[in-house]
């Protein structure tokens, strides 16, 4: 385990720094230089201390005398420009190797260095599989009448950044893995703490996490029926867990209301029953996928929604999930797109009663979907592939066409 510490140029005074761990055990050490307390309290294998030229001249000799070969000084600039800040960032990152455990100490860090420390912590966790054991701050200003100062554990701030990443992933890409992991881990950690189970500890966080993961997976795997069910279940779970979220998962609770509003657009309890509301929910899922930049999913769902609209309009609501019938309806719509059908094609096939206006609308939409979807499905392997940004715009146009189609379909 490595400790990354800083030395400034302040007038440091001796104080007894005290650390209390999660089990209530306390450790103390008296010194005016906090990196020394870090070494004796947390027992890292090496203390890396980052020093400017002035700090090096003022305090480093004293610290070297006390920690000897356990101290490794790292020269850094004053941090007075963006370039110097990047240099400090790179020196912090270079010290740490893959799989290291680290303690970050910001007690004597000056100006913007604490922000750099937090940034380094997130960067190392993502790129080098580093475990941030603690981010500590020796609160000299909070010392008591006995000249004892607490050591604050700020590691929860890194945890908060994880939640922020979770918000970003879900809000922008419908990716719920970070949320799911945080919620499941939070409940397990709390309920296993001390080997006892308390009725006051959370009981709903884990189920919300798992349901979020399932909803996200079904969105990415084009399972609209399951998405409607998952969203409906999740709304109920979020309603039951409001108090728990406020107590045990505040970062998630802060966006729970927004999340509920968003997924309510997708929720439908009778997802396997073909109704006008079901069609509307399918269209809402397409809009949701477009907003999250899941264009392949949106186009694939648009194709199936076109088929479902014909099932619904022609009174075949009880047959919409039968594979053979779907194949026949697909061929039928394809013929609308081709604007011609030979008499031999009709023999033995489903031939629902369908208004000519609906046939024409479905034919136009089917053409548009097929053009973009086939280009994407074949990975643009053709002489004149559709540009990716053009495909996005075409997906939005197809959504608008489906919206107009549904507006003219009545229950």
């Amino acid at each position: 385990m490595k400790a990354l510490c800083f030395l400034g140029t302040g007038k440091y005074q001796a104080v007894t720094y005290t650390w209390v761990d999660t089990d209530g055990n306390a450790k103390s050490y008296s010194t005016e230089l906090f990196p020394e307390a870090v070494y004796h309290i947390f027992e890292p294998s090496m203390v890396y201390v980052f020093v400017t030229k002035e700090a090096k001249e003022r305090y480093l000799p004293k610290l070297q005398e006390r920690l000897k070969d356990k101290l490794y000084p790292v020269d850094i600039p004053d941090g007075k420009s963006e370039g110097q800040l990047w240099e400090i960032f790179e020196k912090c990152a270079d010290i740490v190797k893959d799989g290291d455990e680290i303690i970050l100490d910001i007690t004597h860090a000056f100006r913007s260095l604490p922000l750099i420390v937090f940034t380094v912590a997130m960067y190392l966790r993502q790129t080098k599989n580093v475990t941030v054991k603690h981010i500590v701050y020796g609160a000299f200003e909070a010392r008591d009448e006995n000249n004892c100062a607490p050591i604050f554990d700020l590691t929860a701030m890194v945890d908060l950044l994880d939640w922020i990443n979770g918000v970003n992933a879900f809000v922008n890409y419908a990716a719920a893995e970070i949320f799911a992991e945080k919620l499941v881990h939070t409940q397990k950690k709390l309920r296993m703490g001390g080997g006892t189970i308390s009725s006051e500890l959370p009981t709903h966080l884990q189920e919300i996490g798992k349901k979020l993961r399932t909803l996200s997976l079904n969105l990415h795997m084009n399972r609209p029926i399951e998405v409607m069910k998952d969203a409906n279940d999740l709304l109920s779970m979020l309603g039951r867990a409001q108090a728990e979220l406020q107590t045990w998962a505040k970062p998630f609770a802060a966006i729970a209301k927004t999340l509920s509003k968003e997924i309510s657009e997708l929720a439908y309890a009778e997802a396997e029953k073909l109704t006008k509301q079901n069609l509307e929910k399918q269209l809402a899922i397409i809009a949701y996928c477009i907003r999250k930049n899941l264009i392949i999913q949106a186009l694939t769902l648009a194709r199936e929604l076109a088929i479902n609209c014909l099932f619904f309009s022609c009174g075949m609501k009880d047959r919409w999930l039968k594979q053979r019938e779907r194949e026949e309806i697909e061929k039928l719509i394809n013929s609308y797109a081709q604007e011609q059908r030979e008499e031999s094609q009709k023999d033995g096939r489903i031939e629902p009663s369908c208004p000519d206006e609906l046939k024409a609308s479905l034919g136009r939409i089917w053409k548009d979907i097929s053009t973009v979807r086939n280009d994407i499905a074949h990975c643009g392997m053709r002489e004149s592939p559709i540009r990716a940004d053009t495909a996005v715009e075409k997906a939005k146009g197809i959504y608008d066409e489906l919206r107009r189609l549904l507006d003219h379909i009545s229950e």
Side-chain angles (χ1 to χ4, degrees):
M1 183 168 63
K2 298 174 179 177
L4 277 61
C5 305
F6 293 84
L7 275 180
T9 57
K11 295 181 179 179
Y12 304 135
Q13 300 175 38
V15 67
T16 300
Y17 289 105
T18 301
W19 166 262
V20 181
D21 64 23
T22 53
D23 295 324
N25 302 313
K27 285 186 176 182
S28 298
Y29 193 81
S30 297
T31 180
E32 75 279 24
L33 300 176
F34 190 71
E36 184 184 4
V38 169
Y39 175 73
H40 287 283
I41 292 175
F42 298 99
E43 301 178 355
S45 57
M46 182 67 71
V47 176
Y48 294 85
V49 61
F50 296 83
V51 286
T52 62
K53 181 180 179 181
E54 187 177 351
K56 185 176 183 178
E57 294 172 352
R58 187 165 188 173
Y59 289 119
L60 187 60
K62 186 181 295 186
L63 195 58
Q64 284 178 317
E65 182 182 340
R66 296 176 186 179
L67 299 186
K68 296 184 171 50
D69 62 345
K70 296 299 181 181
L71 183 71
Y72 186 92
V74 181
D75 294 326
I76 59 172
D78 292 331
K80 293 180 179 179
S81 68
E82 183 178 347
Q84 288 187 353
L85 292 176
W86 275 114
E87 184 179 343
I88 296 169
F89 177 93
E90 289 169 357
K91 289 198 173 188
C92 290
D94 289 343
I95 290 295
V96 182
K97 307 304 179 186
D98 287 348
D100 277 352
E101 292 185 345
I102 61 173
I103 292 174
L104 296 172
D105 158 36
I106 65 170
T107 304
H108 296 327
F110 52 97
R111 291 195 292 272
S112 57
L113 283 183
L115 179 59
I116 292 179
V117 171
F118 280 106
T119 308
V120 167
M122 291 304 298
Y123 173 77
L124 294 175
R125 292 170 79 223
Q126 295 295 325
T127 61
K128 295 188 177 182
N129 194 30
V130 166
T131 300
V132 180
K133 296 292 288 184
H134 299 290
I135 299 178
V136 294
Y137 174 71
F140 176 82
E141 67 281 3
R143 64 194 183 281
D144 60 19
E145 63 276 7
N146 297 316
N147 203 34
C148 292
I151 299 174
F152 294 152
D153 189 352
L154 305 180
T155 318
M157 296 299 100
V158 175
D159 190 54
L160 178 58
L161 292 176
D162 285 338
W163 285 105
I164 293 171
N165 284 338
V167 172
N168 178 66
F170 193 81
V171 168
N172 292 312
Y173 311 109
E177 189 59 36
I178 297 176
F179 268 161
E181 181 181 345
K182 296 299 293 181
L183 288 165
V184 171
H185 176 72
T186 297
Q187 178 167 318
K188 284 183 176 180
K189 181 180 178 182
L190 288 168
R191 296 191 68 81
M192 293 304 294
T196 61
I197 295 180
S198 168
S199 60
E200 296 179 359
L201 292 177
T203 58
H204 298 300
L205 301 186
Q206 185 166 304
E207 67 173 2
I208 291 174
K210 290 181 177 179
K211 184 57 69 174
L212 270 169
R213 182 184 285 127
T214 303
L215 171 63
S216 177
L217 180 61
N218 282 321
L219 277 164
H220 286 82
M221 292 296 292
N222 282 336
R223 299 292 186 268
I225 293 175
E226 297 305 320
V227 167
M228 287 185 259
K229 292 177 181 177
D230 290 338
N232 190 70
D233 293 343
L234 191 53
L235 283 177
S236 299
M237 292 177 184
L238 289 171
R240 292 194 301 267
Q242 284 185 15
E244 278 190 14
L245 293 172
Q246 285 292 342
T247 302
W248 304 109
K250 286 184 181 294
F252 185 84
I255 70 148
K257 185 177 292 186
T258 301
L259 180 64
S260 294
K261 182 179 179 181
E262 191 170 86
I263 64 174
S264 66
E265 300 173 9
L266 318 178
Y268 190 51
E270 298 182 294
E272 294 180 357
K273 185 178 180 181
L274 187 58
T275 63
K276 178 65 181 296
Q277 188 175 358
N278 189 315
L279 295 175
E280 292 284 356
K281 292 295 181 180
Q282 292 179 48
L283 186 63
I285 294 172
I286 293 171
Y288 185 85
C289 287
I290 291 174
R291 291 201 303 272
K292 308 301 181 184
N293 216 31
L294 304 176
I295 304 304
I296 296 175
Q297 288 84 346
L299 289 167
T300 307
L301 292 169
R303 185 177 185 276
E304 299 306 307
L305 177 55
I307 295 173
N308 296 337
C309 284
L310 188 54
F311 269 108
F312 180 83
S313 299
C314 300
M316 301 167 61
K317 303 173 189 177
D318 59 336
R319 301 163 68 182
W320 74 299
L321 296 179
K322 296 184 182 297
Q323 183 177 347
R324 182 180 178 279
E325 278 81 346
R326 292 192 71 82
E327 292 172 355
E328 294 296 322
I329 288 291
E330 179 181 332
K331 293 174 183 176
L332 192 60
I333 299 178
N334 193 50
S335 72
Y336 298 160
Q338 295 172 355
E339 298 179 341
Q340 60 182 3
R341 294 187 69 221
E342 297 178 3
E343 289 300 316
S344 60
Q345 289 181 305
K346 297 183 180 181
D347 296 339
R349 296 249 177 102
I350 296 173
E351 186 59 53
S353 175
C354 181
D356 290 339
E357 184 180 347
L358 179 61
K359 291 180 181 179
S361 295
L362 282 170
R364 287 194 302 272
I365 293 171
W366 193 262
K367 274 185 178 179
D368 292 340
I369 294 173
S370 298
T371 299
V372 188
R373 177 183 173 275
N374 290 343
D375 183 272
I376 292 175
H378 293 289
C379 307
M381 298 292 180
R382 51 185 65 190
E383 291 182 351
S384 300
I386 298 173
R387 285 166 49 100
D389 55 350
T390 302
V392 173
E393 294 306 312
K394 286 186 175 294
K396 294 176 180 177
I398 289 167
Y399 167 81
D400 293 336
E401 291 182 69
L402 286 167
R403 175 70 275 165
R404 288 190 288 272
L405 178 66
L406 273 182
D407 287 342
H408 290 88
I409 293 178
S410 65
E411 194 73 60

